[in-house]
Amino acid sequence: MIEECLVAEFRIDGDDCPLARATEEVPATVDAAAPQLRADGNVLLHFSASSDDRLAATLDADDDIRYLHVTRGDDAHTYRCLSKHPCVVHELVDVGFLVESMEYNDGGATMRGAVVGYDVLRGVMEKAGHTVGIQLQRVYPLRSDETPPVGRAWDLTPAQEESLRVAVEMGYFELPRTITAEDVADELGISKSAFLERLRRAQQSLFGTLFG
């Protein structure tokens, strides 16, 4: 039995997939579930973004996107579609990277997931080193208190869950507030606007679960 499970975060730049191209054209942050690769090489995508119809129009005009469906909400839109363009993340999946979430912005993506043991991590790192545009951002042991994830109970993405946890730990929700959104964003290594967008989506999910 493998005792060590590690959480790893990679940044992908230069991947010519539809979501990367769309966020390069439209100033949006896309929270995506792990892409599901079909046997025919096509990919099933499920993701959400702020309620900006320009993103839907850009994706709908992309020849690599098929069967685009958009569920529109006041604060965010949820998308489901088929992509004819496989993401480079599947190259890491093939060597043992368990993708939990992906966030697209500015034409690139940050993906977060797990690797079971250091031997698998070495294989993933070796593959990443031979794949253009993939860089390791950070890696740390999976904590025992992360199982089961809070996000599973409250329908949060790992990125949203992490943002809420860090904000709480830093005292962002205390009154009077002494920590700013920019402080939390710096701790997370993301922009202030990206943090606030994660926070709004997390609140929407939490309140939606609480109040139906």
Side-chain angles (χ1 to χ4, degrees):
M1 179 181 295
I2 301 296
E3 298 293 338
E4 193 76 62
C5 187
L6 306 166
V7 178
E9 191 172 286
F10 292 89
R11 175 69 184 179
I12 304 175
D13 289 300
D15 182 18
D16 190 34
C17 73
L19 293 185
R21 294 197 299 263
T23 58
E24 189 171 25
E25 183 174 338
V26 179
T29 298
V30 172
D31 282 327
Q36 300 179 43
L37 182 63
R38 301 197 327 181
D40 60 4
N42 292 324
V43 182
L44 299 175
L45 300 177
H46 180 200
F47 54 95
S48 63
S50 57
S51 51
D52 187 337
D53 285 329
R54 291 177 298 173
L55 181 64
T58 299
L59 291 168
D60 198 34
D62 193 320
D63 291 337
D64 284 331
I65 293 294
R66 292 287 185 272
Y67 312 117
L68 178 67
H69 180 271
V70 184
T71 304
R72 289 176 166 81
D74 292 336
D75 297 323
H77 292 173
T78 300
Y79 301 77
R80 295 171 178 83
C81 64
L82 181 145
S83 170
K84 296 165 58 180
H85 191 299
C87 175
V88 297
V89 67
H90 294 297
E91 298 189 32
L92 301 189
V93 171
D94 287 343
V95 292
F97 183 62
L98 305 170
V99 184
E100 293 183 356
S101 69
M102 298 187 70
E103 182 178 275
Y104 289 84
N105 56 64
D106 298 325
T110 299
M111 57 181 176
R112 183 174 183 267
V115 289
V116 182
Y118 284 95
D119 287 342
V120 177
L121 177 62
R122 280 192 288 270
V124 171
M125 289 299 301
E126 182 177 352
K127 172 61 73 172
H130 290 87
T131 305
V132 177
I134 297 183
Q135 292 184 330
L136 179 67
Q137 298 290 299
R138 58 178 177 155
V139 59
Y140 57 92
L142 180 70
R143 302 193 309 267
S144 60
D145 60 0
E146 289 186 356
T147 305
V150 174
R152 186 180 301 168
W154 296 97
D155 196 23
L156 302 177
T157 68
Q160 293 166 2
E161 181 183 343
E162 179 189 31
S163 296
L164 281 178
R165 176 177 55 78
V166 171
V168 170
E169 290 174 353
M170 292 182 66
Y172 179 75
F173 298 105
E174 293 180 2
L175 295 175
R177 179 178 293 170
T178 59
I179 298 296
T180 67
E182 189 170 0
D183 293 331
V184 182
D186 287 344
E187 179 67 21
L188 290 165
I190 60 177
S191 67
K192 175 183 174 181
S193 60
F195 164 66
L196 290 175
E197 187 164 346
R198 286 185 186 180
L199 185 61
R200 284 194 295 270
R201 293 184 192 174
Q203 289 172 328
Q204 182 183 30
S205 294
L206 288 169
F207 296 154
T209 302
L210 283 171
F211 302 113

